[in-house]
Amino acid sequence: MIVGVPSEIKTDEYRVGMLPVGVAELTAAGHRVLVQAGAGLGSGLPDHDYLRAGAELVASAEDVYSQAELVVKVKEPQPSEYGLIRSGQIVFTYFHFAASDSLTEAMLESGAMCLAYETLRDASGHLPLLTPMSEVAGRMSIQEGAKFLEKPQMGRGILLGGVPGVAPAHITILGGGIVGANAAKIAAGFQADVAILDVNLDRLRYLDDVMPANVNTLYSDRHNILEQLERADLVIGSVLIPGARAPKLVQAEDLRIMKPGAVVIDVAVDQGGCIETSRPTTHSEPTYIIDEVVHYCVANMPGAVGRTSTFALCNATMRWISKVAALGLSGVLNETGPLQSAINIHEGKILHDAVSSAYQK
């Protein structure tokens, strides 16, 4: 199979879809790998590393898409790429279709097979290709929250850990999955006062067992959410329903009970956001303010730490990329294992229930 790796062109995106070692594995298996020149530079991976691994460098995205049978990316195709994707081609990347009808429509029109990292479930029911970026985003959310709570960033002027004689920040984390757990771990390390909310009592029991004493667990209901919003200096939105739009746990009117200068970080914004006032932002312009509450809603948070994120992602994706390359399009379509859960769209049809439910047209 001809495998193509184009440069990522989403604003402030520095990851790349494949490491040189991945190129070496694919070429050793008899595949051709086309890599767009400069694709790895944002992650500190120069072209000569890919050449040494056996890749063929091509000058443009058009060169990649026109030849590749399997296109491996990180983020969803951007509008300038829509017309390059064709029927009979496999595109393997994060799509997050629930957040974009225009992307969904473009991929339906293309006729391509769209394999989504974020919906692939392994034999254990886990989401192995979503997990590494959720780990990065969860840890980053506290790092970014600490920065935007500073007064020059229009925050409250709060130090997360406080100092002797001054209380630490109160951090509310909505959702106790991979993002929430990683956020809580880092927040606890800052010595902040942390509350993590979830509807899964078994998950809350687990978190209560493994988290340090400054992390408390609460059942996620409307009463507890409102109570936490009143107390919070920093709110992390980390709710996930795989493939579907995130539920709106924080309503627009709820912002009025929050402290002026409080910060909300909606990690779920790439699935539509769990805060009603969220809208996607970029690393170049990451925040905006509504009702004196600072909103940070960058849709590709891990892209800012491109090297860490690329290695973490490719460690997880490579085995699946190799499998897709070995099976080919018809083999993937007929496969009865985990790859079936990754097929979101094929030949103009939506084949994933959550994506279908989110797409209303």
Side-chain angles (χ1 to χ4, degrees), residues 280-321:
T281 60
T282 66
H283 288 292
S284 299
E285 297 182 23
T287 63
Y288 57 92
I289 297 173
I290 296 177
D291 290 339
E292 298 186 276
V293 174
V294 179
H295 290 59
Y296 176 100
C297 304
V298 175
N300 62 327
M301 287 176 64
V305 287
R307 188 169 177 86
T308 297
S309 296
T310 290
F311 278 81
L313 177 63
C314 293
N315 288 344
T317 58
M318 195 57 223
R319 61 172 290 211
W320 301 100
I321 293 167

Side-chain angles (χ1 to χ4, degrees), residues 87-360:
S87 180
Q89 193 169 55
I90 303 172
V91 182
F92 201 7
T93 190
Y94 290 114
F95 279 101
H96 299 293
F97 283 119
S100 175
D101 283 350
S102 60
L103 173 65
T104 305
E105 289 162 6
M107 294 303 100
L108 288 169
E109 188 176 332
S110 75
M113 175 183 282
C114 299
L115 296 181
Y117 294 154
E118 70 271 15
T119 64
L120 188 148
R121 285 191 183 273
D122 63 18
S124 302
H126 299 142
L127 300 166
L129 306 189
L130 188 61
T131 295
M133 294 304 94
S134 296
E135 291 169 336
V136 172
R139 294 174 184 223
M140 269 193 76
S141 68
I142 302 303
Q143 183 173 304
E144 297 301 304
K147 178 169 68 179
F148 287 102
L149 273 171
E150 295 172 2
K151 196 61 179 177
Q153 309 298 329
M154 304 304 292
R156 294 197 70 221
I158 296 284
L159 184 66
L160 288 189
V163 293
V166 181
H170 183 78
I171 301 177
T172 297
I173 301 171
L174 303 175
I178 302 297
V179 172
N182 277 271
K185 187 184 301 182
I186 300 304
F190 272 98
Q191 301 183 346
D193 177 34
V194 184
I196 185 165
L197 287 75
D198 203 283
V199 295
N200 185 329
L201 288 172
D202 287 335
R203 182 65 176 175
L204 290 178
R205 291 185 183 104
Y206 167 77
L207 292 169
D208 186 65
D209 281 342
V210 300
M211 289 292 170
N214 56 329
V215 177
N216 297 298
T217 58
L218 290 169
Y219 187 77
S220 182
D221 59 29
R222 183 68 177 156
H223 172 80
N224 282 338
I225 289 172
L226 289 175
E227 186 178 71
Q228 284 296 308
L229 291 178
E230 285 190 88
R231 294 184 60 196
D233 299 298
L234 173 62
V235 176
I236 308 296
S238 58
V239 179
L240 172 70
I241 301 175
R245 284 194 177 97
K248 305 296 184 189
L249 298 185
V250 178
Q251 307 300 317
E253 60 267 22
D254 298 343
L255 300 185
R256 299 184 194 122
I257 68 172
M258 295 183 69
K259 301 169 184 175
V263 175
V264 295
I265 294 186
D266 197 346
V267 181
V269 71
D270 55 8
Q271 288 290 139
C274 63
I275 296 166
E276 188 176 17
T277 48
S278 293
R279 55 176 171 80
T281 60
T282 66
H283 288 292
S284 299
E285 297 182 23
T287 63
Y288 57 92
I289 297 173
I290 296 177
D291 290 339
E292 298 186 276
V293 174
V294 179
H295 290 59
Y296 176 100
C297 304
V298 175
N300 62 327
M301 287 176 64
V305 287
R307 188 169 177 86
T308 297
S309 296
T310 290
F311 278 81
L313 177 63
C314 293
N315 288 344
T317 58
M318 195 57 223
R319 61 172 290 211
W320 301 100
I321 293 167
S322 295
K323 188 169 185 178
V324 172
L327 289 171
L329 189 145
S330 60
V332 171
L333 198 60
N334 295 320
E335 198 251 7
T336 57
L339 284 173
Q340 275 293 311
S341 60
I343 304 174
N344 282 201
I345 288 175
H346 179 56
E347 290 186 340
K349 297 179 180 177
I350 299 176
L351 301 181
H352 192 281
D353 289 344
V355 174
S356 181
S357 297
Y359 183 63
Q360 300 299 321

